[in-house]
Amino acid sequence: MEEAAFHGETVITFLWIAVILLAAKIASLVEKIGQPSVLGELVMGVLLGNLTLLGIHVFEPMKHDSIIAFLAELGVVILLFQIGLESNIAKMRKVGIRAFLVATIGVIAPFVLGTYIVGPWLLPGLNQNTYLFLGAALTATSVGITARVFQDLGKLHISSAQIVLGAAVIDDVMGLIILAVVSALVTVGAVSLGVISTIVAEAILFLVGAIVIGHFAAPFLGKVLSKINTGVGMKFALAISFGLVFAYLAKAQFGLASIVGAFAAGLVLDPVHFRFFREPKVLEDFREATKDANGELRERIKNVIEHHSHRHVEDLTDPLAHFFVPIFFVMTGMSVQLATLFNPQVLLVALAITGVAVVGKIAAGIAAGKGDRLLVGLGMIPRGEVGLIFATMGASLGVVPPDVFSIIVIMVILTTLLTPPILAFLLKRKGGGEISTPSSIAALAHA
Amino acid sequence: MEEAAFHGETVITFLWIAVILLAAKIASLVEKIGQPSVLGELVMGVLLGNLTLLGIHVFEPMKHDSIIAFLAELGVVILLFQIGLESNIAKMRKVGIRAFLVATIGVIAPFVLGTYIVGPWLLPGLNQNTYLFLGAALTATSVGITARVFQDLGKLHISSAQIVLGAAVIDDVMGLIILAVVSALVTVGAVSLGVISTIVAEAILFLVGAIVIGHFAAPFLGKVLSKINTGVGMKFALAISFGLVFAYLAKAQFGLASIVGAFAAGLVLDPVHFRFFREPKVLEDFREATKDANGELRERIKNVIEHHSHRHVEDLTDPLAHFFVPIFFVMTGMSVQLATLFNPQVLLVALAITGVAVVGKIAAGIAAGKGDRLLVGLGMIPRGEVGLIFATMGASLGVVPPDVFSIIVIMVILTTLLTPPILAFLLKRKGGGEISTPSSIAALAHA
């Protein structure tokens, strides 16, 4: 009865999903050489997306497949929801001030450098509004890539990771304000304080609201769930739905990014309330097989059963993440147009602008405090899709000419692709840190 | 960098997915009263889809959301792939002749009854082509619903289930031929033998090809996989991709339904080759805790470890099915328009036509042989989307007037909604049967 099932147009998407899943899995073999698998997925995407340079056009329709685009967004939403679940709201609050400082400096430094110093210096004679958009494009951090690197290496719980996550949320709110301001300056020529206060108020309302709702709703939900004892299916559905509703609210109602909503949802859901107490078959079998053991052995067996009978909602969302998350990163890689790197003059300016992008965030990292400075600074570098939003908007307003657009695209490419290996290198050199959660792959293997 | 991520239009789909998941989970509480959860999902869909009758229009956009439609189709593809994995090709072959007979009678009986007897009798004075489409709409079985009922009750392995699955695949091929014939009769006025032979040849080529490829490729894949030892992620990606590629090929290249391709893929993938040998953490812990046990206890512990260290690819696809499959059934329910039941005259004729639909398939069940007759006959009853394809096509060709269209829709509604409870009642009365696999919910809980 499914209408779209009758049409043949969407069936090709099955093939694209298969291509992405296989490509991502092959790419994740970079783990064998110690690299985070997100790097493999990005590079694989870049390769697939640029086969046109070799005259192979077969994968081009993927770039314009709206269902694949949706699945990619769902992927990054699920990723940030998971990362929110694995993050601790108390710990987050503890790094709150530092995250705020990192976000603020990380927005102001590249904006001022780009708009007033390096922009006019390297690209003289352009409209002031062009510099404005160039600077704005340098501000916003794309948190998905950094979060994946921390997750791949099992380092989500170290303080640097928490600061980056917090700063990225605040960063998104600031990005929203900047976008509103520069758009108003270009179109109306002036900024309305009313509009800006509304944006700020809405964003704060959403974030504070999410935390308050979470504070009261999660324990209530947990109580209800443990009473009706409906099994894991219900918990899984409730958790995922919670994340999706928050993603929707953030984007549709408050103008924030969907991933900010998903992260907030994960953050406020205390995983403890989603523990499931149903005993897996394997434990039952062990209990049965060893029921006549006694003494110390009995005690040890009891401990193992105890330890493994609590499982968390992350275990349920992991296989889903396995399916959806690589779609986002492969598609992010595919949107990289290597051809833009071929113009030497543009490339040179782009390298300088990338330098500004890096320096601005490294400077912001200083606010993170001792021990976290470099990791946080590096973690804030990827600009991802947010930089491109500014470029696209500027182009559509007629103030970002094609070469400046290319420069922004190259800056995004470089910050996106260079961050994972450098971050991975530093994280591994740093070693232990706090106790880490297993990466999602390990968790799935052990599920 | 994901373009669609910039647009707000698709974000509402997050909300629809959350609505469907929650509605489906609430609906699956019908399990508590012994009903298969698919029935709950269908009824919940009917409720959501007909709230307009009470003046609530908020869920209407879901029906026209092309991404939801795609996710629904992906859901039924994953379901049939899973069911293929759980089916055994040797057992399938054993019931092959019976399945063929069931399919053949199940196509001919309702077609002849509908086109030449009951159609002209109850709806006199219509164009002969109208009767032709009415009869054709009565032929094709929609296997998703029956398969879910068998799966929900853990009865996929009984011979009746295997006969229904086999017959449904053959049925789809026959449906294809009938669709080509009636379309040709209506548009050209004659049937080209060449066109029909091409359709038949292609369908047979696909099914035979799938089995041959599976016969050789699956052991090869298994060998490669066990050599490179890439862990479960790769096996998961390979298995799912295999199913998706077959679904694509069936629909895009051979004109079959995507679910036939997915089922064939699951059938030819011998799950043995996708066993994963990595020892879960819980087993390691037990081995460690009980390493000084001896005698009979040691032996028993060894057996439990042995038993649980082989896990199959179904365990990996289950959480995915949990997410996607309910979307299909809730959306199927939503496409039911209760308003069509309000015209008493149409309703009466529709009830009679539904009787023909039921009788035709019950008659076909006789070919299934002793012990399976009634279950197979009932299992073939749901017409689902396939009946609607005929109705829609006939309407677009101008030979199916609105009231006949409504009659077909009501027939589809009734056969779809009445089969699950009756089948569940019979299956539970029949009891044991062969050893059954756990339903997907139980499997997830034990994963």
Side-chain angles (χ1 to χ4, degrees):
Chain A
M1 303 195 181
E2 204 34 65
E3 275 176 52
F6 308 159
H7 308 304
E9 312 100 57
T10 58
V11 72
I12 187 83
T13 308
F14 287 148
L15 197 61
W16 299 147
I17 297 174
V19 166
I20 292 173
L21 285 181
L22 288 177
K25 270 307 145 203
I26 292 166
S28 72
L29 293 175
V30 297
E31 283 183 343
K32 303 242 167 193
I33 55 164
Q35 291 300 319
S37 53
V38 62
L39 178 64
E41 292 168 12
L42 285 170
V43 172
M44 183 59 93
V46 173
L47 292 178
L48 285 178
N50 289 279
L51 284 174
T52 39
L53 297 177
L54 305 174
I56 300 168
H57 304 289
V58 67
F59 298 116
E60 284 308 287
M62 287 172 78
K63 293 179 184 169
H64 314 294
D65 189 316
S66 64
I67 291 168
I68 291 289
F70 175 81
L71 298 178
E73 187 173 358
L74 186 53
V76 73
V77 159
I78 289 173
L79 174 68
L80 268 287
F81 175 61
Q82 245 191 340
I83 283 166
L85 278 174
E86 294 179 42
S87 299
N88 185 307
I89 199 163
K91 196 180 270 176
M92 206 82 193
R93 217 177 285 147
K94 222 190 295 177
V95 300
I97 303 291
R98 287 191 276 162
F100 185 80
L101 286 175
V102 168
T104 310
I105 301 175
V107 163
I108 293 174
F111 182 74
V112 170
L113 279 173
T115 309
Y116 302 107
I117 301 168
V118 184
W121 177 53
L122 290 177
L123 298 156
L126 295 176
N127 187 313
Q128 180 57 29
N129 285 332
T130 306
Y131 302 132
L132 210 60
F133 266 89
L134 180 64
L138 289 168
T139 59
T141 291
S142 165
V143 74
I145 287 158
T146 298
R148 249 304 283 282
V149 173
F150 280 111
Q151 191 191 45
D152 281 352
L153 302 176
K155 301 279 187 191
L156 269 176
H157 284 263
I158 67 174
S159 56
S160 304
Q162 299 293 315
I163 296 173
V164 171
L165 289 171
V169 169
I170 300 161
D171 202 317
D172 191 73
V173 177
M174 293 181 177
L176 209 65
I177 298 165
I178 293 176
L179 190 62
V181 172
V182 295
S183 304
L185 280 177
V186 170
T187 52
V188 193
V191 179
S192 144
L193 213 68
V195 170
I196 292 186
S197 347
T198 310
I199 292 169
V200 176
E202 281 191 350
I204 290 172
L205 180 71
F206 174 77
L207 292 171
V208 172
I211 289 165
V212 170
I213 288 171
H215 189 73
F216 293 103
F220 172 75
L221 265 180
K223 226 175 266 173
V224 171
L225 282 175
S226 67
K227 263 195 196 125
I228 53 177
N229 189 26
T230 47
V232 292
M234 183 68 95
K235 291 183 184 184
F236 168 78
L238 268 175
I240 286 285
S241 301
F242 200 72
L244 290 175
V245 169
F246 269 54
Y248 164 75
L249 288 175
K251 189 156 167 182
Q253 306 294 324
F254 295 93
L256 290 161
S258 55
I259 56 174
V260 170
F263 178 74
L267 200 61
V268 300
L269 269 196
D270 191 341
V272 171
H273 300 295
F274 283 85
R275 287 208 295 203
F276 34 105
F277 298 96
R278 194 191 285 206
E279 200 166 71
K281 186 82 178 60
V282 55
L283 296 185
E284 272 172 46
D285 289 354
F286 265 112
R287 199 190 287 277
E288 182 62 28
T290 60
K291 64 170 184 262
D292 52 359
N294 41 31
E296 204 199 330
L297 181 62
R298 188 189 183 85
E299 206 51 39
R300 282 207 304 271
I301 290 170
K302 216 183 114 198
N303 284 339
V304 175
I305 291 177
E306 185 77 9
H307 179 71
H308 283 282
S309 63
H310 296 308
R311 294 180 59 228
H312 287 202
V313 69
E314 291 103 300
D315 296 347
L316 296 176
T317 55
D318 256 338
L320 220 54
H322 247 264
F323 182 82
F324 285 111
V325 176
I327 301 178
F328 176 76
F329 290 105
V330 171
M331 290 312 293
T332 300
M334 279 193 80
S335 67
V336 169
Q337 290 178 296
L338 289 181
T340 54
L341 301 174
F342 295 164
N343 181 337
Q345 210 182 337
V346 169
L347 183 60
L348 273 179
V349 179
L351 283 175
I353 294 291
T354 306
V356 171
V358 171
V359 167
K361 294 296 184 182
I362 295 284
I366 292 168
K370 209 169 156 263
D372 291 317
R373 279 176 194 140
L374 194 55
L375 275 177
V376 170
L378 281 169
M380 299 293 290
I381 288 176
R383 295 309 195 279
E385 71 287 355
V386 197
L388 291 186
I389 295 178
F390 282 98
T392 309
M393 187 145 191
S396 74
L397 290 174
V399 294
V400 170
D403 53 345
V404 176
F405 188 86
S406 286
I407 287 165
I408 294 174
V409 171
I410 294 170
M411 179 275 292
V412 170
I413 294 173
L414 294 177
T415 56
T416 299
L417 293 182
L418 294 179
T419 306
I422 298 172
L423 208 55
F425 174 76
L426 280 176
L427 275 171
K428 276 187 287 187
R429 213 189 48 177
K430 207 187 167 193
E434 288 177 46
I435 287 163
S436 62
T437 47
S439 78
S440 51
I441 288 160
L444 182 65
H446 290 150
Chain B
M1 301 193 181
E2 204 34 63
E3 275 177 52
F6 307 159
H7 308 305
E9 313 100 55
T10 59
V11 73
I12 187 84
T13 308
F14 288 147
L15 197 61
W16 299 147
I17 296 174
V19 167
I20 292 174
L21 286 181
L22 287 177
K25 271 305 145 204
I26 292 166
S28 73
L29 293 175
V30 297
E31 283 183 342
K32 304 242 166 193
I33 53 164
Q35 291 300 318
S37 52
V38 62
L39 178 64
E41 292 168 12
L42 285 170
V43 172
M44 184 60 94
V46 173
L47 292 178
L48 285 179
N50 288 280
L51 284 175
T52 39
L53 297 177
L54 305 175
I56 300 168
H57 304 288
V58 67
F59 298 117
E60 284 307 288
M62 287 173 78
K63 294 180 184 170
H64 314 294
D65 189 315
S66 64
I67 290 168
I68 291 290
F70 175 81
L71 297 177
E73 186 173 358
L74 186 53
V76 72
V77 158
I78 289 173
L79 174 67
L80 268 288
F81 175 61
Q82 247 192 339
I83 283 167
L85 278 173
E86 293 179 40
S87 299
N88 184 308
I89 198 165
K91 195 179 270 177
M92 207 83 194
R93 218 177 285 146
K94 223 191 292 176
V95 300
I97 302 291
R98 286 191 276 164
F100 185 80
L101 286 175
V102 169
T104 310
I105 301 174
V107 163
I108 293 174
F111 182 73
V112 170
L113 279 172
T115 309
Y116 300 107
I117 301 170
V118 184
W121 179 52
L122 290 177
L123 299 155
L126 294 176
N127 187 314
Q128 179 56 29
N129 285 333
T130 307
Y131 302 132
L132 210 59
F133 265 90
L134 179 64
L138 290 169
T139 60
T141 292
S142 165
V143 74
I145 288 159
T146 299
R148 249 304 284 283
V149 174
F150 279 112
Q151 192 191 44
D152 280 353
L153 301 176
K155 302 279 188 190
L156 269 176
H157 284 264
I158 67 174
S159 56
S160 304
Q162 298 293 314
I163 295 173
V164 171
L165 289 171
V169 169
I170 300 163
D171 203 317
D172 192 72
V173 177
M174 292 181 178
L176 209 65
I177 298 166
I178 293 176
L179 190 62
V181 171
V182 295
S183 303
L185 279 177
V186 170
T187 52
V188 193
V191 180
S192 143
L193 213 68
V195 169
I196 292 185
S197 344
T198 310
I199 292 169
V200 176
E202 281 191 349
I204 290 172
L205 180 71
F206 175 77
L207 292 171
V208 172
I211 290 165
V212 170
I213 288 172
H215 189 73
F216 293 104
F220 171 76
L221 265 179
K223 227 176 265 173
V224 171
L225 282 175
S226 67
K227 264 198 193 121
I228 53 178
N229 190 23
T230 47
V232 291
M234 183 68 95
K235 290 181 185 183
F236 168 77
L238 268 175
I240 286 286
S241 301
F242 200 72
L244 291 174
V245 169
F246 269 54
Y248 165 75
L249 288 176
K251 188 155 167 183
Q253 305 295 322
F254 294 92
L256 291 161
S258 55
I259 56 173
V260 169
F263 178 72
L267 200 61
V268 301
L269 270 196
D270 190 342
V272 171
H273 300 295
F274 283 84
R275 287 208 294 203
F276 35 104
F277 299 97
R278 194 192 285 207
E279 201 165 70
K281 185 83 179 60
V282 56
L283 296 186
E284 271 172 46
D285 289 355
F286 266 113
R287 201 191 285 277
E288 184 61 28
T290 59
K291 63 170 185 263
D292 52 359
N294 41 32
E296 205 201 329
L297 181 62
R298 188 190 183 82
E299 206 52 39
R300 282 206 303 271
I301 291 169
K302 217 184 112 196
N303 284 340
V304 176
I305 292 178
E306 184 78 9
H307 179 72
H308 284 283
S309 64
H310 296 307
R311 292 180 59 227
H312 288 201
V313 69
E314 290 104 300
D315 296 346
L316 296 175
T317 54
D318 257 338
L320 220 53
H322 247 264
F323 182 82
F324 286 112
V325 175
I327 301 179
F328 177 76
F329 290 105
V330 172
M331 291 311 294
T332 300
M334 280 192 79
S335 68
V336 170
Q337 289 178 296
L338 290 182
T340 54
L341 301 174
F342 294 164
N343 181 336
Q345 210 182 338
V346 168
L347 183 59
L348 273 179
V349 180
L351 284 174
I353 295 291
T354 305
V356 171
V358 170
V359 167
K361 294 295 185 183
I362 295 284
I366 293 169
K370 206 168 158 266
D372 291 318
R373 279 178 194 139
L374 194 55
L375 275 177
V376 169
L378 281 168
M380 299 294 289
I381 287 176
R383 296 307 196 281
E385 71 287 357
V386 197
L388 291 186
I389 296 179
F390 282 98
T392 309
M393 188 147 190
S396 74
L397 289 175
V399 296
V400 170
D403 52 346
V404 177
F405 188 86
S406 286
I407 287 166
I408 294 174
V409 171
I410 295 170
M411 179 274 293
V412 170
I413 293 174
L414 294 177
T415 56
T416 299
L417 294 183
L418 293 179
T419 307
I422 298 173
L423 208 53
F425 174 75
L426 280 176
L427 275 170
K428 276 186 288 187
R429 214 190 46 178
K430 208 189 165 190
E434 290 177 43
I435 288 163
S436 62
T437 47
S439 79
S440 53
I441 288 160
L444 183 67
H446 291 150

